[in-house]
Amino acid sequence: MRLKFWRGILLILPVIGFIKVEAQDRASVKLFEQDSLKLVARQFDFTEGPAADKEGNVFFTDQPNNTIWKYDTYGKLSLFLDHAGRANGTYFDKKGNLIACADEHNELWSIDPKGRVKILVGRVNGLALNGPNDLWIDPKGGIYFTDPYFQRKYWTRQAPEMKGEKVYYLKAGQKEPVVADDDLLKPNGIVGTRDGKLLYVGDGKAAKVFKYQIGADGKLSGKQALIDQRSDGMTLDEQGNIYLTGNGVTVYDASGKWIGHIEIKEPWTSNVCFGGENHDILFITASKAVYLMPMKVKGM
């Protein structure tokens, strides 16, 4: 046994878990124990978009109720923002602002720690985006975001204005995003590596996760179908393992090899991130609920 604290909560972690096989030495590394999964709350309509700030507090959205919630490292759950732009995917920038895919009006928002909103991206070339869904911020502050079309009940429009469902890149300091990849059917989850060299994008309609090389100018190249699985949100750990969501959480190594699965007994697991004071707690949004999973590895 080993002991770990999510401030104020003692977690006893058995050292039995799934195995990650290293490409070079084939050494096994235990990642988690299914029985340590903990329900935080089930009081929402549909949870999405978890993101951790630098202290490890996790923010997540309840899109049908148009809210963003905070789960802090002391285990306290509180409402962070009402009238949240129907936010979906979120990610923190280096200044501590929560960047959100606010698809109520198909925008990209920056929300400061006091809940004040700045619109980063509105219409593009005079047209409304389909509905920004998920995002990742590179080490230079550039934002990659996916823009699939999912018809929302709160929209008056019944068809997209924009042709195609694409991945965009908003360079730091710029106001207009550029297309990073327009050859996807329905891009959804997205995440990149800490060094800013690799990007992963899930294509829900193609049921694949693609891997890209990121150039110095933010351009993508070397597109490769890495994993044959549909994924909603996704994250990476410090070893480069990829965590995909949908039917629970499925873990693959950096080569695309399956190494484990976390069972979540909910209709749909939408997204995942690492949080906690030491960034070694997996925070999982799943339908009406949110869960915690203590991990042996840390997030990026």
Side-chain angles (χ1 to χ4, degrees):
M1 298 287 185
R2 65 189 181 96
L3 302 181
K4 183 67 182 176
F5 288 87
W6 175 289
R7 292 184 184 170
I9 300 176
L10 174 63
L11 303 172
I12 301 175
L13 311 184
V15 292
I16 301 170
F18 286 99
I19 293 176
K20 177 183 183 297
V21 180
E22 298 288 352
Q24 294 181 349
D25 57 15
R26 317 303 290 178
S28 63
V29 178
K30 293 153 188 170
L31 296 179
F32 59 86
E33 166 58 42
Q34 177 68 45
D35 290 345
S36 66
L37 183 71
K38 174 183 179 289
L39 174 67
V40 174
R42 185 184 283 113
Q43 65 186 61
F44 313 100
D45 280 346
F46 191 79
T47 57
E48 249 288 8
D53 64 16
K54 63 182 180 180
E55 286 81 24
N57 305 301
V58 177
F59 293 70
F60 64 95
T61 69
D62 183 2
Q63 193 175 42
N65 288 317
N66 201 14
T67 53
I68 298 176
W69 290 77
K70 176 182 179 181
Y71 185 75
D72 70 21
T73 57
Y74 294 95
K76 180 184 176 182
L77 184 65
S78 60
L79 181 66
F80 170 67
L81 186 66
D82 203 353
H83 303 292
R86 302 282 184 173
N88 195 337
T90 67
Y91 204 90
F92 275 94
D93 68 14
K94 291 182 179 180
K95 297 179 180 179
N97 301 310
L98 184 65
I99 311 303
C101 292
D103 80 2
E104 183 173 20
H105 299 296
N106 317 297
E107 297 167 334
L108 203 64
W109 283 10
S110 174
I111 307 168
D112 75 11
K114 294 184 178 180
R116 295 173 297 200
V117 172
K118 176 183 178 182
I119 298 174
L120 297 180
V121 178
R123 301 177 74 84
V124 176
N125 296 323
L127 300 174
L129 290 163
N130 294 319
N133 186 282
D134 205 357
L135 73 147
W136 173 72
I137 302 176
D138 69 19
K140 297 178 180 179
I143 303 171
Y144 291 91
F145 67 94
T146 57
D147 187 44
Y149 188 88
F150 292 103
Q151 184 66 46
R152 305 300 191 188
K153 293 180 180 180
Y154 43 82
W155 288 346
T156 56
R157 64 171 176 165
Q158 297 298 310
E161 294 182 19
M162 192 78 66
K163 183 178 179 180
E165 302 180 38
K166 307 165 187 174
V167 176
Y168 288 89
Y169 181 62
L170 180 66
K171 190 174 181 179
Q174 299 296 310
K175 295 182 179 181
E176 189 88 358
V178 296
V179 175
D181 187 1
D182 61 359
D183 189 26
L184 294 166
L185 300 177
K186 194 170 285 292
N188 196 325
I190 187 168
V191 69
T193 54
R194 180 187 300 174
D195 60 11
K197 294 181 179 181
L198 298 176
L199 184 73
Y200 300 93
V201 179
D203 188 330
K205 194 169 184 179
K208 293 182 183 296
V209 173
F210 292 97
K211 173 183 174 182
Y212 303 82
Q213 305 289 328
I214 302 176
D217 56 0
K219 290 184 178 179
L220 304 180
S221 63
K223 183 178 180 180
Q224 172 191 355
L226 183 67
I227 300 169
D228 291 328
Q229 179 180 318
R230 178 188 178 191
S231 183
D232 201 334
M234 61 181 71
T235 195
L236 298 171
D237 68 23
E238 61 186 349
Q239 297 177 356
N241 299 318
I242 308 162
Y243 295 68
L244 307 183
T245 58
N247 175 22
V249 181
T250 308
V251 189
Y252 294 83
D253 71 11
S255 71
K257 181 179 179 179
W258 184 97
I259 55 173
H261 182 263
I262 301 171
E263 182 182 6
I264 309 292
K265 294 182 179 179
E266 300 289 347
W268 184 252
T269 300
S270 63
N271 217 322
V272 64
C273 78
F274 280 86
E277 187 176 12
N278 295 311
H279 293 274
D280 58 356
I281 304 293
L282 198 64
F283 190 92
I284 304 162
T285 55
S287 299
K288 296 179 181 291
V290 288
Y291 290 85
L292 299 179
M293 170 69 83
M295 302 293 291
K296 193 177 176 66
V297 291
K298 296 181 180 182
M300 292 191 301

